Amino acid sequence: MTAEMMTGRGLHPMAPPLVDGLRRGELSRREYLAAMMALGVTSAAAVSLGGLARAQTEQAPVTAPKPGGTLRIAMDSRDLKDPRLFDWSEMGNVARQSLEYLIRWERDYSFTPWLLESWELNDTATEVVLNLRQGVTWSNGDAFTAEDVAFNLNRWCDKGVLGNSMAGRMASLIDPDTGLARDGAIQIVDDHTIRLVTGYPDITLIPGLADYPAAIVHRSFDPEGDLLAQINIGTGPYDITRWEMGVGAAAAKRPTWWGEAVFGPALLDGIEWIDLGTDPSATVAALAAGEVDCNHQTLSDARDQMSSLGLALSEATTAATIVCRFNVNVPPYDDQRVRNAMQAAVDNSVVLALGYDGAGEVAENHHVGPMHPEYFALPKPTRDVERAQALLAEAGQTDHEFELISIDDLWRRNTTDAIAAQMRDAGMKVRRKVIPSANFWNDWAKYPLSTTNWNPRPLGVQVLALAYRSGEAWNETGYANPAFDERLNQAMGTVDVEARRALMQEIQSILQDSGVILQPYWRKVYRHAKPDVQGFPAHQALEQHLEKVWLDREG
């Protein structure tokens, strides 16, 4: 008989409504799996209860996996920093070869217990028990214990650390008066068990543990010390031997890894990440010349060219997106009429077609999409040039010149150009400013008007809490609306998906009407690899899980 829950408790009371929602067609497979496993339902039980066939995420190898070799990946190389401050998946992809996560978000949208063996959410979503995997060893020989996890949880809860986005994921554990974890919120039960007691119901804690800034560091970690040396005190199968911003990074296999007994051996001897810049033609040339084996991601404008080289293409359905966001603390974007005017000037479907070659789905300017379990379908925004002009005139900004900023790579630059062109077509004065990648991210949250890209998260409420709740580290719009925060916190504590969806109608409408973002589309994610690269399909969050990747070649 298939165990229904990861722990010995009976089936969570909110699991049957999720099964009903799947059968009625209200939840997709990926929405259903993410929601069920957040409750602590096992992957096998979720599949069985839902009457699903187990998804095949990749083709089975025709030959037995071969150990050895070095995989070379074309990928931007970001700065090395304290993992809780990571703000790019590329940072996580290097670090995760040494530092591991409590939970892994899989390509089929399920969750795999990694450093955890299981978890259990109580019926009211106010308490979570984390059961740690036993037998895990750090690379320095120390045993992995609850002390390590409690150390990380307390670090994540420190709102006083500039740029610590993990505090947004841990908000229900934080004392608003101290900006630190509440007394009694993080309880060590024994060496392998931790109990989390939230200040209010919160369904997002488990999915938040799988996000890339949630890498688990050793309890001795000091952010003022040698970061590379400390990141190399890890539980993962590889040492990071090199990490150079704008150049690349490298990793070498460790002699032993605890995970071999559970997941099998890591197969590659080494990994190299090579930064080829933002022009995709450089990656095309490197793949054609055999200088790299695969890329981190293929952008839509280079997809066909890379496929013509005989490379294997994989793609993932995703909630990755780009937003044109307004800093509401900088005039004239402190005037909602100006923001709404810019929304009205733009047809999101045109931006998708011109900016990303149509490879995605039109979005609705509120950063929640059909791939999220709680999504409520609002009417899609339509372009209305007359309304745009009227709102600008009413705000007294008809002659204002808008400076629209983007990074210098193709897809974000093209998307921003498409927005600017429609604004001009609506009678607005627009000056485009393109900033090189090396400089753009220094002040990414401070620009008055710019475009930025966002990775997907399993739940829509996760995204809204990270990006639009008052005072969060990644709130690049400066948006602060107590009514929005209140409704969002209520939704984050609502386990029942249908009840949460009813709340989302108002939450999404508040954000959409506020005009703080113009979010034109959800984009597909692609990856290309040489035919001899096995087990490395595209991941919806651009994560690189490399333990099972192998090279089907001699020597």
Side-chain angles (χ1 to χ4, degrees):
M1 180 178 177
T2 299
E4 292 182 326
M5 300 295 291
M6 295 180 187
T7 61
R9 67 158 289 174
L11 185 64
H12 198 286
M14 291 316 304
L18 290 172
V19 174
D20 290 342
L22 174 70
R23 291 172 177 169
R24 291 195 302 266
E26 296 164 353
L27 294 176
S28 71
R29 177 194 176 95
R30 59 179 182 270
E31 295 162 355
Y32 165 79
L33 286 175
M36 286 286 272
M37 297 197 70
L39 299 177
V41 179
T42 67
S43 175
V47 169
S48 177
L49 290 168
L52 302 173
R54 207 34 158 146
Q56 295 298 316
T57 58
E58 57 189 271
Q59 213 170 17
V62 294
T63 58
K66 301 174 183 177
T70 296
L71 180 70
R72 301 163 300 169
I73 306 171
M75 183 184 80
D76 293 350
S77 181
R78 305 290 179 181
D79 197 9
L80 172 60
K81 57 176 70 173
D82 181 343
R84 65 181 166 177
L85 308 183
F86 283 177
D87 46 14
W88 278 94
S89 58
E90 289 89 340
M91 297 173 178
N93 283 334
V94 177
R96 75 171 63 246
Q97 311 313 318
S98 173
L99 301 178
E100 296 183 298
Y101 293 73
L102 297 175
I103 297 168
R104 175 175 289 185
W105 191 27
E106 301 289 4
R107 191 170 179 261
D108 67 356
Y109 283 72
S110 66
F111 295 113
T112 295
W114 203 260
L115 291 177
L116 292 184
E117 185 177 78
S118 63
W119 58 86
E120 181 178 320
L121 186 73
N122 72 351
D123 294 356
T124 57
T126 55
E127 188 174 302
V128 182
V129 175
L130 305 178
N131 299 305
L132 279 60
R133 196 179 293 278
Q134 300 188 36
V136 176
T137 306
W138 292 95
S139 57
N140 66 357
D142 289 346
F144 169 69
T145 70
E147 184 181 346
D148 293 300
V149 178
F151 173 79
N152 281 270
L153 287 162
N154 278 293
R155 274 173 32 88
W156 297 339
C157 287
D158 190 347
K159 285 186 69 70
V161 176
L162 187 65
N164 175 22
S165 70
M166 286 304 298
R169 298 170 179 85
M170 301 292 111
S172 60
L173 302 177
I174 296 175
D175 184 333
D177 294 327
T178 65
L180 300 170
R182 286 182 299 100
D183 290 342
I186 302 168
Q187 303 174 9
I188 297 179
V189 178
D190 57 40
D191 282 351
H192 294 95
T193 311
I194 284 187
R195 178 182 292 110
L196 304 180
V197 181
T198 65
Y200 50 85
D202 185 3
I203 61 169
T204 69
L205 276 178
I206 291 299
L209 297 177
D211 216 343
Y212 64 83
I216 297 294
V217 299
H218 188 269
R219 55 188 172 272
S220 65
F221 186 88
D222 178 2
E224 301 301 320
D226 184 329
L227 289 178
L228 184 57
Q230 294 184 93
I231 285 175
N232 271 326
I233 304 175
T235 58
Y238 295 93
D239 276 313
I240 312 302
T241 58
R242 177 171 56 87
W243 190 324
E244 299 176 79
M245 181 178 178
V247 179
K253 187 176 179 179
R254 288 173 172 150
T256 60
W257 174 49
W258 70 270
E260 182 169 350
V262 180
F263 302 111
L267 297 171
L268 295 168
D269 288 336
I271 307 148
E272 291 182 10
W273 295 270
I274 302 167
D275 191 331
L276 297 171
T278 58
D279 186 346
S281 64
T283 302
V284 172
L287 283 163
E291 296 169 356
V292 294
D293 301 302
C294 55
N295 61 358
H296 171 53
Q297 66 169 320
T298 301
L299 300 175
S300 60
D301 41 30
R303 179 187 57 208
D304 293 344
Q305 188 177 7
M306 288 191 183
S307 294
S308 71
L309 298 175
L311 302 170
L313 169 68
S314 64
E315 67 176 73
T317 302
T318 177
T321 188
I322 186 170
V323 299
C324 176
R325 93 297 184 280
F326 311 95
N327 189 326
V328 300
N329 296 311
V330 179
Y333 310 113
D334 56 348
D335 190 327
Q336 181 177 338
R337 294 170 297 184
V338 174
R339 304 193 302 264
N340 289 151
M342 293 183 64
Q343 285 180 324
V346 175
D347 183 332
N348 287 345
S349 64
V350 173
V351 179
L352 172 60
L354 298 179
Y356 204 62
D357 197 29
E361 185 173 346
V362 176
E364 300 165 1
N365 299 339
H366 53 65
H367 213 147
V368 181
M371 66 292 297
H372 294 126
E374 61 273 80
Y375 166 76
F376 186 93
L378 295 176
K380 292 192 181 299
T382 56
R383 190 174 194 234
D384 188 338
V385 172
E386 289 186 4
R387 180 170 180 264
Q389 292 173 338
L391 285 167
L392 274 188
E394 184 180 325
Q397 298 294 342
T398 301
D399 295 324
H400 179 78
E401 182 179 55
F402 299 93
E403 182 179 72
L404 179 53
I405 301 170
S406 77
I407 198 170
D408 63 348
D409 74 346
L410 280 182
W411 79 276
R412 284 170 287 195
R413 186 177 68 201
N414 290 348
T415 295
T416 314
D417 284 345
I419 293 171
Q422 291 195 78
M423 289 172 62
R424 293 189 186 105
D425 187 55
M428 299 178 178
K429 298 178 180 179
V430 183
R431 178 160 61 96
R432 280 281 287 115
K433 183 176 182 180
V434 180
I435 299 178
S437 177
N439 301 321
F440 181 88
W441 301 111
N442 294 333
D443 296 306
W444 70 280
K446 299 178 182 177
Y447 300 130
L449 175 61
S450 69
T451 54
T452 51
N453 53 285
W454 283 82
N455 276 3
R457 267 84 198 178
L459 303 178
V461 289
Q462 281 182 276
V463 181
L464 299 186
L466 285 172
Y468 308 104
R469 191 164 56 185
S470 302
E472 297 295 351
W474 283 1
N475 184 339
E476 59 181 339
T477 66
Y479 184 59
N481 183 336
F484 174 84
D485 295 345
E486 180 183 356
R487 299 293 191 279
L488 177 59
N489 287 340
Q490 184 181 357
M492 291 173 69
T494 303
V495 180
D496 183 274
V497 174
E498 289 304 311
R500 190 161 78 247
R501 183 178 290 120
L503 293 169
M504 292 300 284
Q505 178 180 10
E506 181 180 4
I507 293 167
Q508 293 170 204
S509 295
I510 290 174
L511 191 62
Q512 186 184 67
D513 295 343
S514 74
V516 295
I517 58 169
L518 195 162
Q519 187 226 344
Y521 58 80
W522 306 100
R523 69 186 184 97
K524 288 185 178 180
V525 169
Y526 303 97
R527 175 174 290 154
H528 275 91
K530 293 166 64 177
D532 58 7
V533 177
Q534 301 293 311
F536 192 39
H539 186 280
Q540 67 272 12
L542 299 172
E543 294 181 3
Q544 295 179 7
H545 304 157
L546 300 177
E547 301 88 359
K548 293 302 167 191
V549 177
W550 58 283
L551 301 173
D552 189 12
R553 63 174 71 142
E554 299 298 328

